[in-house]
Amino acid sequence: MALDQRLAELNTQACHELPAQEVAILQRASATLRKSGITEQCLQVGESAPDFSMNDQYGNSITLSSFLRSGPVVINFFRGFWCNYCQAELEVYQSMLGALKELNCHYLAISPNTPKEKQPQAADHYFQITDMDNRIAKKFGIVYEVEQNQKELFSRWGVDLAKLNHTDKWELPLPATYIISKSGCVEFKFVHSDYRKRLEPETVLEHLQVLQL
């Protein structure tokens, strides 16, 4: 199933299940982010991606520059494993790992959220990284502080971001997908103020294929 179709199903489900007041809170939060200009101020196409060092879910130290020696890297920032939209996105990427490997591309799924259970390593080209305090996401300029009314809404849902992310901050990264070339340059980016909007992975494959030419 294409990601767009799965996201449409989640949107329909949310419309049926969420009270209008809660939907309004989420929509206002997205509108505030859009007006803030964060999507224009974050790391842009043509700029050099900041290098970073992080541990994967197995405690192995990794760096972006080390991956780039062998090929392009797709970096996907997501809110957390508690988010249905994020889960849908990750599942689609996991289904296309063969295609990514053929293109000699590493896929990094980065979130401030630590999963309750250790996630299985899907492949040697796929890594799930816990971004403590959104350190990596902040280098890309895509982190924002959750507003009070949205914080109260999340709390009612049982989503305590500070607890889930092992920090005292209620911060999240915007949904973002970056394609970094071997030279370390941002070749493509998708950053959206609406958490429901995600880049169709097939588009990622198309851009990666162009890089191979």
Side-chain angles (χ1 to χ4, degrees):
M1 179 186 297
L3 180 58
D4 286 347
Q5 183 179 349
R6 177 59 180 143
L7 296 181
E9 291 177 355
L10 289 174
N11 287 335
T12 299
Q13 181 181 349
C15 288
H16 288 314
E17 295 180 357
L18 295 181
Q21 183 179 7
E22 294 185 354
V23 173
I25 291 174
L26 297 173
Q27 290 177 338
R28 283 197 299 270
S30 295
T32 298
L33 285 170
R34 184 177 66 253
K35 294 176 182 178
S36 73
I38 186 172
T39 58
E40 289 78 33
Q41 297 164 7
C42 66
L43 190 69
Q44 300 293 313
V45 171
E47 296 182 330
S48 296
D51 198 10
F52 56 83
S53 175
M54 272 288 174
N55 292 332
D56 63 16
Q57 63 265 43
Y58 294 100
N60 301 313
S61 180
I62 58 175
T63 62
L64 173 61
S65 55
S66 64
F67 284 138
L68 290 173
R69 294 191 190 106
S70 59
V73 173
V74 173
I75 302 177
N76 186 34
F77 292 96
F78 67 103
R79 303 196 301 171
F81 298 97
W82 51 270
C83 171
N84 291 336
Y85 292 84
C86 300
Q87 287 280 17
E89 184 177 27
L90 292 177
E91 288 171 3
V92 174
Y93 274 105
Q94 288 174 351
S95 71
M96 54 184 268
L97 290 179
L100 289 172
K101 189 170 184 178
E102 287 183 5
L103 294 167
N104 205 31
C105 175
H106 286 93
Y107 172 78
L108 309 183
I110 302 178
S111 168
N113 181 208
T114 301
K116 292 182 179 180
E117 299 178 358
K118 182 177 288 187
Q119 300 292 302
Q121 190 81 334
D124 57 357
H125 280 242
Y126 177 100
F127 295 85
Q128 289 180 357
I129 299 170
T130 300
D131 186 14
M132 296 301 297
D133 285 326
N134 286 292
R135 293 190 187 106
I136 300 174
K138 286 177 181 176
K139 289 185 177 183
F140 283 70
I142 59 171
V143 178
Y144 67 95
E145 184 175 355
V146 176
E147 295 182 337
Q148 183 60 33
N149 57 357
Q150 193 176 11
K151 180 178 178 180
E152 293 170 357
L153 177 60
F154 280 9
S155 297
R156 290 199 297 271
W157 289 348
V159 178
D160 186 333
L161 291 180
K163 184 176 181 180
L164 287 171
N165 298 342
H166 302 288
T167 180
D168 58 353
K169 303 172 184 176
W170 277 68
E171 294 179 332
L172 286 173
L174 291 176
T177 303
Y178 281 88
I179 298 177
I180 313 299
S181 69
K182 287 186 66 175
S183 67
C185 182
V186 177
E187 292 292 334
F188 178 85
K189 82 169 181 72
F190 172 91
V191 181
H192 212 288
S193 59
D194 188 336
Y195 70 95
R196 300 170 299 176
K197 305 294 185 181
R198 309 297 168 104
L199 179 66
E200 184 63 50
E202 284 296 329
T203 303
V204 172
L205 291 180
E206 292 172 2
H207 283 275
L208 289 172
Q209 289 165 351
V210 171
L211 285 179
Q212 299 294 312
L213 299 177

